[in-house]
Amino acid sequence: MTLKCPPGTTISVEHAQYGRTGKYGISKCNSSVSPMIAEDRSINHTCTWPQSLQHSLLQTVVEVCQKKRQCKFNTSPETFQGDPCPGLRKYIEVAYKCRPYEFRSKVACENDVINLVCYPGQRVAIFSAYFGRTEYESIQCPQPRGVQEESCMMNFATETIMYLCHGKRRCSVIANSTTFDKPDPCKPDSKTYLKVVYTCGEYRIFSFLILLSVA
């Protein structure tokens, strides 16, 4: 298996699983399934390691790939110290992100505007977004006098900001609940804020991703 990220980014491993899940496993690994298995499609061929060993597998992949631009490893049982599915065709599934070398962070208090701008030839890549408040990270947008501090965050804020800004050269977002088309996550008297963590990536990377999604 080869994991590869674009220039200016490194691998960040999120999940790894080895074995076989579901009635047919993933279709990519069924093209050369053994005749014995092919004859009996009614059997639910599911076999994965217990959670403790899956964690060990994740650590193995992290050691080989984490913070590298590209890595390669063998998917044989010997690599992972055991076979969870003796006699069955199996696969390894790895979920990973391509994390930029550096990030920028911007905060806008309630009803203020965040402006994300990249140089020509670059585009905004959203890493995370938070809208609401946290008790320990609200120095820039303090509560009004007499209002108690609280932690209250909007769900799916990252997805919304990605939809609005990801892949654009410049983007402006207002820090209020209207932007997210959802009720305010905090009490009426609390002062919310929007925090966006992003970076600027080369335009050709985003062009490649668009082509992949269309294909």
Side-chain angles (χ1 to χ4, degrees):
M1 174 175 278
T2 300
L3 309 184
K4 187 176 181 180
C5 283
T9 64
T10 57
I11 295 168
S12 177
V13 180
E14 304 286 319
H15 167 81
Q17 179 173 285
Y18 186 50
R20 186 178 182 86
T21 336
K23 190 171 182 179
Y24 303 109
I26 57 175
S27 58
K28 183 178 180 181
C29 299
N30 283 326
S31 57
S32 57
V33 67
S34 69
M36 179 182 68
I37 296 174
E39 289 174 1
D40 190 0
R41 293 294 190 180
S42 63
I43 299 176
N44 191 345
H45 299 294
T46 297
C47 46
T48 57
W49 276 336
Q51 193 62 39
S52 58
L53 289 179
Q54 293 288 5
H55 180 72
S56 175
L57 165 64
L58 176 61
Q59 291 302 112
T60 299
V61 178
V62 166
E63 288 174 9
V64 175
C65 299
Q66 192 79 347
K67 295 185 178 180
K68 296 179 181 178
R69 191 188 155 205
Q70 182 174 339
C71 69
K72 185 182 296 186
F73 54 89
N74 195 306
T75 59
S76 67
E78 290 77 16
T79 303
F80 305 111
Q81 302 176 356
D83 188 346
C85 312
L88 292 179
R89 192 163 180 80
K90 53 205 145 284
Y91 58 88
I92 181 170
E93 180 181 10
V94 176
Y96 69 100
K97 294 180 180 179
C98 292
R99 185 183 180 118
Y101 291 143
E102 61 178 31
F103 292 94
R104 308 174 189 182
S105 177
K106 285 195 173 184
V107 175
C109 298
E110 187 172 349
N111 293 321
D112 289 343
V113 176
I114 278 185
N115 293 305
L116 309 181
V117 182
C118 293
Y119 291 118
Q122 295 186 326
R123 294 295 184 269
V124 172
I126 302 298
F127 184 73
S128 62
Y130 309 90
F131 177 71
R133 286 193 74 80
T134 60
E135 292 186 42
Y136 307 106
E137 194 185 27
S138 51
I139 299 174
Q140 290 179 255
C141 305
Q143 289 281 47
R145 180 172 295 181
V147 176
Q148 187 175 1
E149 190 59 86
E150 63 171 323
S151 290
C152 43
M153 303 301 293
M154 176 80 73
N155 293 326
F156 306 111
T158 298
E159 289 81 352
T160 300
I161 300 302
M162 286 186 71
Y163 175 77
L164 295 172
C165 299
H166 201 74
K168 297 181 179 179
R169 191 196 156 199
R170 58 178 69 238
C171 177
S172 297
V173 181
I174 302 175
N176 60 31
S177 56
T178 303
T179 295
F180 300 92
D181 195 26
K182 292 182 179 180
D184 199 311
C186 302
K187 295 177 182 176
D189 293 334
S190 284
K191 189 175 183 66
T192 56
Y193 65 88
L194 173 63
K195 179 180 179 179
V196 178
V197 180
Y198 74 104
T199 191
C200 290
E202 295 182 22
Y203 176 68
R204 65 186 182 87
I205 297 174
F206 291 91
S207 300
F208 176 68
L209 292 175
I210 291 170
L211 287 172
L212 279 180
S213 64
V214 171

